[in-house]
Amino acid sequence: MSRRYELIAPVYDVVSGEYPVYRTGRTLGIDLLGPRPGDQVLDVGCGTGLNFPALQQRIGPGGVIVGVDRSPAMLAAAARRARRHGWTNVVLVAADAVETGVDRLAECITAAGGRTETDAALASYALSLMPEWERAWAATLALVRPGGRVAVVDMREPTAAAWRPLARWACRLGGADITAHPWSAVERDGLQVVAAQAWAGHLQARAATVPARGGS
């Protein structure tokens, strides 16, 4: 999987179906997340930084985007995007959200210039790429302050039968598990859950408030 994304990183924005289809889900997820000016937002599996423009509009120059990805080539593309736009508030961390562990991820974020307290986190089309996505989700949840916000955007089979073969093909091409349904973790672990969907249910977005540690 990592090798695949290393190879396609230079053309990912073109071949991923971002503009005809998947940008809609990013927009839904960020709208539900509702980051505010000055927030630090953790972008899990940030890839080439496709969430960055919309996040920048919300958090402003006083906020921080922390992009985490295991692929050096994808992070390089994200860095180029930040430089091209003059965004000096983007912090990039090369790490595997499944394997690294919460304490080490926190160390990496602060070492790269991020703050110890994260206000919000977003995982868009990332968790379904990870066979052990629950571990990445647990780490994400632990890095967000109680009362902060988390959002997951991902994919499932469309309700429209005619679209299902194309959706399955797109997920196979990208290496995503269309049956993973990682947004269910938001519903299970978050408070005040809000939801949205698009493209006959193919795109699913959930956001919620992070509960107090050990609370519900």
Side-chain angles (χ1 to χ4, degrees):
M1 180 64 66
S2 179
R3 177 62 176 164
R4 176 184 304 180
Y5 280 88
E6 289 293 291
L7 291 172
I8 68 171
V11 295
Y12 178 81
D13 294 1
V14 176
V15 303
S16 64
E18 171 70 10
Y19 299 103
V21 178
Y22 293 106
R23 176 179 283 187
T24 300
R26 295 182 194 279
T27 301
L28 291 175
I30 292 170
D31 284 347
L32 294 181
L33 183 66
R36 298 172 297 183
D39 276 357
Q40 177 170 289
V41 181
L42 178 64
D43 188 350
V44 179
C46 69
T48 64
L50 287 168
N51 289 324
F52 293 178
L55 290 175
Q56 290 285 357
Q57 290 178 2
R58 299 299 190 101
I59 65 173
V64 178
I65 297 173
V66 178
V68 176
D69 203 285
R70 65 178 292 182
S71 166
M74 298 291 268
L75 283 177
R80 288 193 295 271
R81 188 186 302 275
R83 287 195 300 271
R84 187 165 64 248
H85 290 278
W87 296 328
T88 59
N89 60 342
V90 174
V91 173
L92 298 176
V93 175
D96 185 326
V98 172
E99 299 293 341
T100 305
V102 176
D103 292 342
R104 180 58 184 154
L105 273 174
E107 290 174 3
C108 291
I109 290 169
T110 55
R115 302 195 294 257
T116 56
E117 185 174 76
T118 290
D119 302 293
L122 171 68
S124 57
Y125 312 119
L127 295 182
S128 62
L129 296 171
M130 308 173 189
E132 297 182 81
W133 66 264
E134 283 274 12
R135 292 173 61 186
W137 165 251
T140 300
L141 200 62
L143 288 167
V144 179
R145 64 173 177 80
R149 300 279 292 168
V150 288
V152 170
V153 179
D154 229 297
M155 300 164 288
R156 73 175 186 193
E157 287 200 343
T159 55
W163 291 5
R164 289 174 192 163
L166 182 59
R168 292 170 187 161
W169 175 84
C171 288
R172 283 197 300 272
L173 183 66
D177 179 1
I178 200 170
T179 68
H181 300 179
W183 60 85
S184 62
V186 181
E187 299 171 338
R188 180 191 66 210
D189 298 330
L191 303 175
Q192 301 168 325
V193 178
V194 289
Q197 62 179 343
W199 289 94
H202 178 47
L203 309 183
Q204 294 288 323
R206 301 290 187 279
T209 300
V210 174
R213 306 301 181 209
S216 59

